Amino acid sequence: MLDKDTLTAIIESILLTASGPVTVAAVAESIDDKEIGEEELLRLFEGVGKSWDRPDSGLRLEKVADGWRCATPPALDPYLRSFHGIAARQRLSQAALEVLAIVAHRQPVTLPEINFLRGANSASVVRTLLDRRLLRMAGRKKVVGKPFLYRTSREFLVHFGLEKAEDLPDPEELLKDDVVAVD
């Protein structure tokens, strides 16, 4: 059986080299030690997160899309961009954010429904979001014309640092916070 320090080192190595979120089950499978349960590995993941969550650390552990990923603090972003030669962040357009919000809160949803809610043609925006893998097709709606149904993807969860789509704030609650009483 592997000791705690070795297991922690394995988890850190996997997190630093993984191309996407890492699940506890995937680590358990790669270790292939029947004596080490997923509960113990989960505690070790949380321990790694605590050890990295210091003001002087350049690493953070985030829980996203049913897994864990290694990330850097936002305050270090300008230095990382300069080092890697990245001029500007590729931002999502206002239209793309509107479509993502509609799909995230009403999924599954069709393009005609998106167009109706936005009051504008969103076909090219949906196509771009599909290309960026932030949206995915989820079948066809059983109505006349059988339009495609769209859902957010796992990549959407990772991009926005969410564990699941239900973690999004309720739009009604956001509106309540913005309403100011006028006397």
Side-chain angles (χ1 to χ4, degrees), residues 72-130:
T72 57
L76 301 179
D77 187 58
Y79 308 104
L80 293 170
R81 291 192 174 285
S82 174
F83 178 78
H84 291 289
I86 301 170
R89 174 180 291 198
Q90 273 195 328
R91 297 187 182 269
L92 292 168
S93 68
Q94 182 67 34
L97 290 172
E98 289 172 6
V99 168
L100 283 173
I102 290 167
V103 174
H105 287 287
R106 294 181 175 251
Q107 57 189 315
V109 64
T110 65
L111 181 58
E113 292 167 340
I114 295 168
N115 291 341
F116 175 77
L117 291 168
R118 281 195 67 230
N121 186 347
S122 304
S124 63
V125 177
V126 168
R127 198 171 17 258
T128 299
L129 293 171
L130 285 167

Short mmCIF file of all heavy atoms in Angstrom, two decimals, residues 72-130:
data_model
loop_
_atom_site.label_atom_id
_atom_site.label_comp_id
_atom_site.label_asym_id
_atom_site.label_seq_id
_atom_site.Cartn_x
_atom_site.Cartn_y
_atom_site.Cartn_z
N THR A 72 -4.45 28.78 -11.66
CA THR A 72 -3.61 29.82 -11.09
C THR A 72 -4.49 30.95 -10.58
O THR A 72 -5.59 31.16 -11.09
CB THR A 72 -2.63 30.37 -12.14
OG1 THR A 72 -3.37 30.86 -13.25
CG2 THR A 72 -1.65 29.29 -12.59
N PRO A 73 -4.02 31.71 -9.60
CA PRO A 73 -4.81 32.83 -9.10
C PRO A 73 -4.99 33.90 -10.18
O PRO A 73 -4.05 34.17 -10.95
CB PRO A 73 -3.98 33.38 -7.94
CG PRO A 73 -2.99 32.33 -7.61
CD PRO A 73 -2.78 31.52 -8.84
N PRO A 74 -6.16 34.51 -10.26
CA PRO A 74 -6.40 35.55 -11.27
C PRO A 74 -5.41 36.71 -11.20
O PRO A 74 -5.10 37.32 -12.23
CB PRO A 74 -7.82 36.04 -10.95
CG PRO A 74 -8.46 34.91 -10.22
CD PRO A 74 -7.35 34.23 -9.47
N ALA A 75 -4.87 37.00 -10.03
CA ALA A 75 -3.93 38.11 -9.89
C ALA A 75 -2.64 37.89 -10.68
O ALA A 75 -1.95 38.84 -11.03
CB ALA A 75 -3.60 38.31 -8.41
N LEU A 76 -2.33 36.63 -11.00
CA LEU A 76 -1.11 36.33 -11.74
C LEU A 76 -1.32 36.31 -13.25
O LEU A 76 -0.37 36.10 -14.02
CB LEU A 76 -0.54 34.98 -11.28
CG LEU A 76 -0.18 34.90 -9.79
CD1 LEU A 76 0.36 33.53 -9.45
CD2 LEU A 76 0.80 36.00 -9.41
N ASP A 77 -2.54 36.52 -13.70
CA ASP A 77 -2.90 36.46 -15.12
C ASP A 77 -2.01 37.35 -16.00
O ASP A 77 -1.51 36.88 -17.03
CB ASP A 77 -4.37 36.81 -15.30
CG ASP A 77 -4.83 36.61 -16.73
OD1 ASP A 77 -4.70 35.48 -17.24
OD2 ASP A 77 -5.31 37.60 -17.34
N PRO A 78 -1.77 38.62 -15.66
CA PRO A 78 -0.94 39.46 -16.55
C PRO A 78 0.47 38.90 -16.75
O PRO A 78 1.02 38.97 -17.86
CB PRO A 78 -0.88 40.82 -15.84
CG PRO A 78 -1.97 40.80 -14.84
CD PRO A 78 -2.27 39.37 -14.52
N TYR A 79 1.06 38.32 -15.71
CA TYR A 79 2.40 37.77 -15.82
C TYR A 79 2.43 36.52 -16.68
O TYR A 79 3.36 36.32 -17.48
CB TYR A 79 2.96 37.47 -14.42
CG TYR A 79 2.87 38.66 -13.50
CD1 TYR A 79 1.90 38.72 -12.50
CD2 TYR A 79 3.73 39.75 -13.65
CE1 TYR A 79 1.80 39.83 -11.67
CE2 TYR A 79 3.63 40.86 -12.83
CZ TYR A 79 2.66 40.89 -11.84
OH TYR A 79 2.56 41.98 -11.04
N LEU A 80 1.42 35.69 -16.54
CA LEU A 80 1.34 34.48 -17.35
C LEU A 80 1.12 34.82 -18.82
O LEU A 80 1.72 34.22 -19.71
CB LEU A 80 0.21 33.57 -16.84
CG LEU A 80 0.45 32.97 -15.46
CD1 LEU A 80 -0.82 32.29 -14.95
CD2 LEU A 80 1.61 32.01 -15.49
N ARG A 81 0.27 35.81 -19.10
CA ARG A 81 0.02 36.24 -20.48
C ARG A 81 1.29 36.80 -21.10
O ARG A 81 1.61 36.52 -22.26
CB ARG A 81 -1.10 37.27 -20.53
CG ARG A 81 -2.43 36.67 -20.19
CD ARG A 81 -3.58 37.60 -20.52
NE ARG A 81 -4.81 36.87 -20.30
CZ ARG A 81 -5.28 35.93 -21.11
NH1 ARG A 81 -4.65 35.65 -22.21
NH2 ARG A 81 -6.39 35.29 -20.83
N SER A 82 2.03 37.58 -20.34
CA SER A 82 3.28 38.15 -20.84
C SER A 82 4.29 37.05 -21.13
O SER A 82 4.92 37.02 -22.18
CB SER A 82 3.83 39.13 -19.81
OG SER A 82 5.11 39.58 -20.20
N PHE A 83 4.43 36.10 -20.21
CA PHE A 83 5.39 35.01 -20.38
C PHE A 83 5.05 34.15 -21.60
O PHE A 83 5.93 33.78 -22.37
CB PHE A 83 5.43 34.13 -19.13
CG PHE A 83 6.35 32.95 -19.27
CD1 PHE A 83 7.72 33.11 -19.14
CD2 PHE A 83 5.86 31.69 -19.58
CE1 PHE A 83 8.58 32.04 -19.29
CE2 PHE A 83 6.71 30.61 -19.73
CZ PHE A 83 8.08 30.79 -19.58
N HIS A 84 3.76 33.84 -21.78
CA HIS A 84 3.35 32.96 -22.87
C HIS A 84 3.10 33.72 -24.17
O HIS A 84 2.73 33.11 -25.17
CB HIS A 84 2.10 32.17 -22.47
CG HIS A 84 2.36 31.16 -21.40
ND1 HIS A 84 3.07 30.01 -21.61
CD2 HIS A 84 2.03 31.15 -20.08
CE1 HIS A 84 3.15 29.32 -20.48
NE2 HIS A 84 2.54 30.00 -19.54
N GLY A 85 3.26 35.03 -24.15
CA GLY A 85 3.10 35.83 -25.37
C GLY A 85 1.66 35.93 -25.84
O GLY A 85 1.40 36.01 -27.04
N ILE A 86 0.74 35.93 -24.91
CA ILE A 86 -0.68 36.04 -25.27
C ILE A 86 -1.05 37.51 -25.15
O ILE A 86 -1.00 38.10 -24.07
CB ILE A 86 -1.56 35.18 -24.34
CG1 ILE A 86 -1.14 33.72 -24.43
CG2 ILE A 86 -3.03 35.36 -24.69
CD1 ILE A 86 -1.78 32.83 -23.40
N ALA A 87 -1.40 38.10 -26.29
CA ALA A 87 -1.67 39.54 -26.31
C ALA A 87 -2.97 39.88 -25.60
O ALA A 87 -3.01 40.72 -24.72
CB ALA A 87 -1.71 40.03 -27.75
N ALA A 88 -4.05 39.27 -26.00
CA ALA A 88 -5.34 39.63 -25.42
C ALA A 88 -6.17 38.37 -25.20
O ALA A 88 -6.04 37.39 -25.93
CB ALA A 88 -6.09 40.57 -26.35
N ARG A 89 -6.99 38.44 -24.22
CA ARG A 89 -7.88 37.33 -23.90
C ARG A 89 -8.99 37.27 -24.95
O ARG A 89 -9.54 38.29 -25.33
CB ARG A 89 -8.48 37.58 -22.52
CG ARG A 89 -9.53 36.58 -22.12
CD ARG A 89 -10.05 36.91 -20.78
NE ARG A 89 -8.97 36.65 -19.83
CZ ARG A 89 -9.16 36.50 -18.54
NH1 ARG A 89 -10.34 36.61 -18.02
NH2 ARG A 89 -8.14 36.25 -17.74
N GLN A 90 -9.28 36.08 -25.42
CA GLN A 90 -10.41 35.91 -26.35
C GLN A 90 -11.68 35.94 -25.54
O GLN A 90 -12.01 35.00 -24.84
CB GLN A 90 -10.30 34.59 -27.10
CG GLN A 90 -9.48 34.66 -28.34
CD GLN A 90 -9.72 33.45 -29.20
OE1 GLN A 90 -9.99 32.37 -28.71
NE2 GLN A 90 -9.64 33.63 -30.49
N ARG A 91 -12.39 37.03 -25.66
CA ARG A 91 -13.61 37.19 -24.89
C ARG A 91 -14.81 36.74 -25.71
O ARG A 91 -14.79 36.79 -26.94
CB ARG A 91 -13.79 38.64 -24.48
CG ARG A 91 -12.68 39.11 -23.56
CD ARG A 91 -12.99 40.50 -23.05
NE ARG A 91 -11.92 40.99 -22.22
CZ ARG A 91 -11.85 40.85 -20.91
NH1 ARG A 91 -12.79 40.20 -20.28
NH2 ARG A 91 -10.85 41.33 -20.22
N LEU A 92 -15.85 36.37 -25.00
CA LEU A 92 -17.10 36.03 -25.66
C LEU A 92 -17.87 37.32 -25.92
O LEU A 92 -17.87 38.23 -25.08
CB LEU A 92 -17.93 35.10 -24.78
CG LEU A 92 -17.35 33.70 -24.57
CD1 LEU A 92 -18.10 32.98 -23.46
CD2 LEU A 92 -17.41 32.92 -25.86
N SER A 93 -18.52 37.40 -27.06
CA SER A 93 -19.31 38.58 -27.40
C SER A 93 -20.54 38.65 -26.50
O SER A 93 -20.93 37.67 -25.87
CB SER A 93 -19.74 38.52 -28.87
OG SER A 93 -20.68 37.47 -29.05
N GLN A 94 -21.16 39.83 -26.50
CA GLN A 94 -22.39 40.00 -25.73
C GLN A 94 -23.46 39.02 -26.21
O GLN A 94 -24.17 38.41 -25.41
CB GLN A 94 -22.89 41.45 -25.85
CG GLN A 94 -24.14 41.73 -25.03
CD GLN A 94 -23.90 41.67 -23.54
OE1 GLN A 94 -22.83 42.02 -23.06
NE2 GLN A 94 -24.88 41.20 -22.80
N ALA A 95 -23.55 38.86 -27.53
CA ALA A 95 -24.53 37.93 -28.09
C ALA A 95 -24.25 36.49 -27.64
O ALA A 95 -25.18 35.75 -27.30
CB ALA A 95 -24.52 38.01 -29.62
N ALA A 96 -22.98 36.11 -27.61
CA ALA A 96 -22.62 34.75 -27.18
C ALA A 96 -22.97 34.54 -25.71
O ALA A 96 -23.49 33.49 -25.33
CB ALA A 96 -21.13 34.50 -27.42
N LEU A 97 -22.72 35.54 -24.89
CA LEU A 97 -23.07 35.44 -23.47
C LEU A 97 -24.58 35.34 -23.28
O LEU A 97 -25.05 34.58 -22.43
CB LEU A 97 -22.51 36.63 -22.70
CG LEU A 97 -20.99 36.65 -22.55
CD1 LEU A 97 -20.53 37.98 -21.95
CD2 LEU A 97 -20.49 35.48 -21.72
N GLU A 98 -25.34 36.09 -24.08
CA GLU A 98 -26.80 36.02 -23.99
C GLU A 98 -27.30 34.63 -24.36
O GLU A 98 -28.14 34.05 -23.67
CB GLU A 98 -27.43 37.06 -24.91
CG GLU A 98 -27.26 38.49 -24.44
CD GLU A 98 -27.72 39.51 -25.46
OE1 GLU A 98 -28.29 39.12 -26.52
OE2 GLU A 98 -27.51 40.72 -25.22
N VAL A 99 -26.76 34.08 -25.46
CA VAL A 99 -27.18 32.74 -25.89
C VAL A 99 -26.80 31.70 -24.83
O VAL A 99 -27.60 30.83 -24.49
CB VAL A 99 -26.58 32.39 -27.28
CG1 VAL A 99 -26.77 30.92 -27.60
CG2 VAL A 99 -27.20 33.26 -28.36
N LEU A 100 -25.58 31.79 -24.30
CA LEU A 100 -25.17 30.85 -23.26
C LEU A 100 -26.08 30.93 -22.03
O LEU A 100 -26.43 29.91 -21.44
CB LEU A 100 -23.72 31.10 -22.84
CG LEU A 100 -22.66 30.58 -23.80
CD1 LEU A 100 -21.27 31.04 -23.36
CD2 LEU A 100 -22.70 29.06 -23.90
N ALA A 101 -26.45 32.14 -21.65
CA ALA A 101 -27.33 32.31 -20.49
C ALA A 101 -28.70 31.67 -20.75
O ALA A 101 -29.25 30.98 -19.89
CB ALA A 101 -27.50 33.79 -20.17
N ILE A 102 -29.23 31.88 -21.95
CA ILE A 102 -30.53 31.30 -22.30
C ILE A 102 -30.45 29.77 -22.27
O ILE A 102 -31.29 29.10 -21.66
CB ILE A 102 -31.01 31.81 -23.68
CG1 ILE A 102 -31.38 33.29 -23.58
CG2 ILE A 102 -32.17 30.97 -24.20
CD1 ILE A 102 -31.56 33.97 -24.93
N VAL A 103 -29.43 29.23 -22.92
CA VAL A 103 -29.31 27.77 -22.98
C VAL A 103 -29.06 27.19 -21.59
O VAL A 103 -29.69 26.20 -21.20
CB VAL A 103 -28.19 27.35 -23.96
CG1 VAL A 103 -27.97 25.84 -23.91
CG2 VAL A 103 -28.52 27.79 -25.37
N ALA A 104 -28.19 27.83 -20.81
CA ALA A 104 -27.86 27.31 -19.48
C ALA A 104 -29.08 27.26 -18.57
O ALA A 104 -29.23 26.31 -17.79
CB ALA A 104 -26.76 28.15 -18.85
N HIS A 105 -29.94 28.25 -18.66
CA HIS A 105 -31.09 28.30 -17.75
C HIS A 105 -32.33 27.61 -18.27
O HIS A 105 -33.24 27.32 -17.51
CB HIS A 105 -31.41 29.76 -17.40
CG HIS A 105 -30.40 30.36 -16.48
ND1 HIS A 105 -30.31 30.03 -15.16
CD2 HIS A 105 -29.41 31.25 -16.71
CE1 HIS A 105 -29.31 30.71 -14.61
NE2 HIS A 105 -28.75 31.45 -15.52
N ARG A 106 -32.40 27.33 -19.58
CA ARG A 106 -33.62 26.72 -20.14
C ARG A 106 -33.36 25.40 -20.86
O ARG A 106 -34.23 24.92 -21.56
CB ARG A 106 -34.28 27.70 -21.12
CG ARG A 106 -34.79 28.93 -20.44
CD ARG A 106 -35.45 29.81 -21.47
NE ARG A 106 -36.05 30.96 -20.84
CZ ARG A 106 -37.35 31.14 -20.72
NH1 ARG A 106 -38.19 30.25 -21.19
NH2 ARG A 106 -37.82 32.21 -20.13
N GLN A 107 -32.18 24.85 -20.72
CA GLN A 107 -31.83 23.66 -21.50
C GLN A 107 -32.72 22.47 -21.21
O GLN A 107 -33.14 22.33 -20.07
CB GLN A 107 -30.36 23.32 -21.32
CG GLN A 107 -29.89 23.08 -19.91
CD GLN A 107 -28.38 22.96 -19.87
OE1 GLN A 107 -27.77 22.29 -20.69
NE2 GLN A 107 -27.76 23.60 -18.91
N PRO A 108 -33.00 21.65 -22.22
CA PRO A 108 -32.63 21.82 -23.62
C PRO A 108 -33.53 22.84 -24.30
O PRO A 108 -34.70 22.98 -23.95
CB PRO A 108 -32.84 20.43 -24.22
CG PRO A 108 -33.91 19.83 -23.39
CD PRO A 108 -33.74 20.40 -22.00
N VAL A 109 -32.96 23.56 -25.27
CA VAL A 109 -33.68 24.64 -25.94
C VAL A 109 -33.36 24.61 -27.44
O VAL A 109 -32.28 24.18 -27.83
CB VAL A 109 -33.33 26.00 -25.29
CG1 VAL A 109 -31.88 26.34 -25.48
CG2 VAL A 109 -34.22 27.10 -25.76
N THR A 110 -34.31 25.04 -28.26
CA THR A 110 -34.12 25.05 -29.71
C THR A 110 -33.66 26.43 -30.18
O THR A 110 -33.82 27.43 -29.46
CB THR A 110 -35.42 24.70 -30.45
OG1 THR A 110 -36.37 25.74 -30.20
CG2 THR A 110 -35.97 23.36 -30.02
N LEU A 111 -33.13 26.50 -31.38
CA LEU A 111 -32.71 27.77 -31.96
C LEU A 111 -33.89 28.75 -32.10
O LEU A 111 -33.73 29.92 -31.74
CB LEU A 111 -32.01 27.55 -33.31
CG LEU A 111 -31.50 28.82 -33.99
CD1 LEU A 111 -30.51 29.58 -33.11
CD2 LEU A 111 -30.87 28.46 -35.33
N PRO A 112 -35.07 28.32 -32.58
CA PRO A 112 -36.19 29.26 -32.64
C PRO A 112 -36.55 29.83 -31.26
O PRO A 112 -36.90 31.01 -31.14
CB PRO A 112 -37.34 28.44 -33.22
CG PRO A 112 -36.67 27.37 -34.01
CD PRO A 112 -35.40 27.06 -33.27
N GLU A 113 -36.44 29.03 -30.21
CA GLU A 113 -36.72 29.53 -28.87
C GLU A 113 -35.67 30.55 -28.44
O GLU A 113 -36.00 31.58 -27.84
CB GLU A 113 -36.77 28.35 -27.87
CG GLU A 113 -37.95 27.43 -28.09
CD GLU A 113 -37.84 26.12 -27.34
OE1 GLU A 113 -36.73 25.72 -26.94
OE2 GLU A 113 -38.89 25.47 -27.15
N ILE A 114 -34.41 30.29 -28.77
CA ILE A 114 -33.33 31.23 -28.46
C ILE A 114 -33.57 32.54 -29.20
O ILE A 114 -33.48 33.63 -28.62
CB ILE A 114 -31.95 30.64 -28.83
CG1 ILE A 114 -31.62 29.42 -27.96
CG2 ILE A 114 -30.85 31.70 -28.70
CD1 ILE A 114 -30.43 28.61 -28.43
N ASN A 115 -33.89 32.43 -30.50
CA ASN A 115 -34.15 33.62 -31.32
C ASN A 115 -35.30 34.44 -30.74
O ASN A 115 -35.24 35.67 -30.68
CB ASN A 115 -34.47 33.24 -32.76
CG ASN A 115 -33.27 32.68 -33.50
OD1 ASN A 115 -32.14 32.88 -33.09
ND2 ASN A 115 -33.54 31.98 -34.58
N PHE A 116 -36.36 33.77 -30.30
CA PHE A 116 -37.52 34.46 -29.74
C PHE A 116 -37.14 35.20 -28.46
O PHE A 116 -37.49 36.36 -28.27
CB PHE A 116 -38.65 33.46 -29.45
CG PHE A 116 -39.83 34.08 -28.77
CD1 PHE A 116 -40.73 34.86 -29.47
CD2 PHE A 116 -40.02 33.91 -27.40
CE1 PHE A 116 -41.81 35.45 -28.83
CE2 PHE A 116 -41.09 34.49 -26.75
CZ PHE A 116 -42.00 35.27 -27.47
N LEU A 117 -36.40 34.54 -27.59
CA LEU A 117 -36.02 35.16 -26.31
C LEU A 117 -35.05 36.32 -26.50
O LEU A 117 -35.14 37.32 -25.79
CB LEU A 117 -35.42 34.11 -25.37
CG LEU A 117 -36.42 33.08 -24.86
CD1 LEU A 117 -35.70 31.92 -24.19
CD2 LEU A 117 -37.40 33.73 -23.89
N ARG A 118 -34.14 36.21 -27.46
CA ARG A 118 -33.19 37.29 -27.71
C ARG A 118 -33.78 38.38 -28.59
O ARG A 118 -33.29 39.50 -28.58
CB ARG A 118 -31.94 36.75 -28.41
CG ARG A 118 -30.97 36.06 -27.49
CD ARG A 118 -29.61 35.87 -28.14
NE ARG A 118 -28.96 37.16 -28.35
CZ ARG A 118 -28.43 37.54 -29.50
NH1 ARG A 118 -28.47 36.75 -30.56
NH2 ARG A 118 -27.85 38.71 -29.61
N GLY A 119 -34.76 38.03 -29.40
CA GLY A 119 -35.30 39.01 -30.34
C GLY A 119 -34.36 39.26 -31.50
O GLY A 119 -34.41 40.33 -32.12
N ALA A 120 -33.50 38.30 -31.78
CA ALA A 120 -32.52 38.44 -32.87
C ALA A 120 -32.15 37.05 -33.38
O ALA A 120 -32.27 36.06 -32.65
CB ALA A 120 -31.28 39.15 -32.38
N ASN A 121 -31.67 37.00 -34.62
CA ASN A 121 -31.22 35.73 -35.19
C ASN A 121 -29.91 35.32 -34.51
O ASN A 121 -28.95 36.08 -34.50
CB ASN A 121 -31.02 35.88 -36.71
CG ASN A 121 -30.70 34.56 -37.36
OD1 ASN A 121 -30.39 33.57 -36.70
ND2 ASN A 121 -30.77 34.54 -38.67
N SER A 122 -29.88 34.13 -33.98
CA SER A 122 -28.72 33.67 -33.21
C SER A 122 -28.02 32.49 -33.85
O SER A 122 -27.17 31.86 -33.21
CB SER A 122 -29.17 33.29 -31.79
OG SER A 122 -29.83 34.36 -31.19
N ALA A 123 -28.34 32.18 -35.10
CA ALA A 123 -27.79 30.99 -35.75
C ALA A 123 -26.26 31.02 -35.79
O ALA A 123 -25.60 30.02 -35.46
CB ALA A 123 -28.35 30.85 -37.15
N SER A 124 -25.67 32.15 -36.18
CA SER A 124 -24.21 32.20 -36.29
C SER A 124 -23.56 32.14 -34.90
O SER A 124 -22.48 31.57 -34.74
CB SER A 124 -23.76 33.44 -37.04
OG SER A 124 -24.14 34.61 -36.35
N VAL A 125 -24.21 32.73 -33.91
CA VAL A 125 -23.67 32.68 -32.54
C VAL A 125 -23.69 31.25 -32.03
O VAL A 125 -22.71 30.78 -31.45
CB VAL A 125 -24.48 33.61 -31.61
CG1 VAL A 125 -23.97 33.52 -30.18
CG2 VAL A 125 -24.43 35.05 -32.09
N VAL A 126 -24.79 30.55 -32.25
CA VAL A 126 -24.90 29.15 -31.81
C VAL A 126 -23.83 28.31 -32.52
O VAL A 126 -23.17 27.48 -31.89
CB VAL A 126 -26.32 28.59 -32.06
CG1 VAL A 126 -26.35 27.08 -31.88
CG2 VAL A 126 -27.31 29.26 -31.12
N ARG A 127 -23.63 28.55 -33.81
CA ARG A 127 -22.62 27.81 -34.56
C ARG A 127 -21.22 28.05 -33.96
O ARG A 127 -20.43 27.12 -33.79
CB ARG A 127 -22.66 28.23 -36.03
CG ARG A 127 -22.00 27.27 -36.96
CD ARG A 127 -22.23 27.56 -38.45
NE ARG A 127 -22.72 28.88 -38.79
CZ ARG A 127 -23.99 29.17 -39.11
NH1 ARG A 127 -24.89 28.23 -39.14
NH2 ARG A 127 -24.35 30.40 -39.42
N THR A 128 -20.92 29.30 -33.62
CA THR A 128 -19.63 29.63 -33.01
C THR A 128 -19.47 28.94 -31.66
O THR A 128 -18.41 28.40 -31.35
CB THR A 128 -19.49 31.16 -32.84
OG1 THR A 128 -19.56 31.77 -34.13
CG2 THR A 128 -18.18 31.53 -32.17
N LEU A 129 -20.52 28.95 -30.86
CA LEU A 129 -20.47 28.30 -29.54
C LEU A 129 -20.34 26.78 -29.67
O LEU A 129 -19.69 26.14 -28.83
CB LEU A 129 -21.69 28.68 -28.71
CG LEU A 129 -21.74 30.16 -28.29
CD1 LEU A 129 -23.09 30.49 -27.67
CD2 LEU A 129 -20.61 30.51 -27.35
N LEU A 130 -20.94 26.21 -30.71
CA LEU A 130 -20.75 24.78 -30.98
C LEU A 130 -19.29 24.52 -31.37
O LEU A 130 -18.69 23.54 -30.91
CB LEU A 130 -21.69 24.31 -32.10
CG LEU A 130 -23.15 24.14 -31.72
CD1 LEU A 130 -24.01 23.98 -32.97
CD2 LEU A 130 -23.35 22.96 -30.79
#
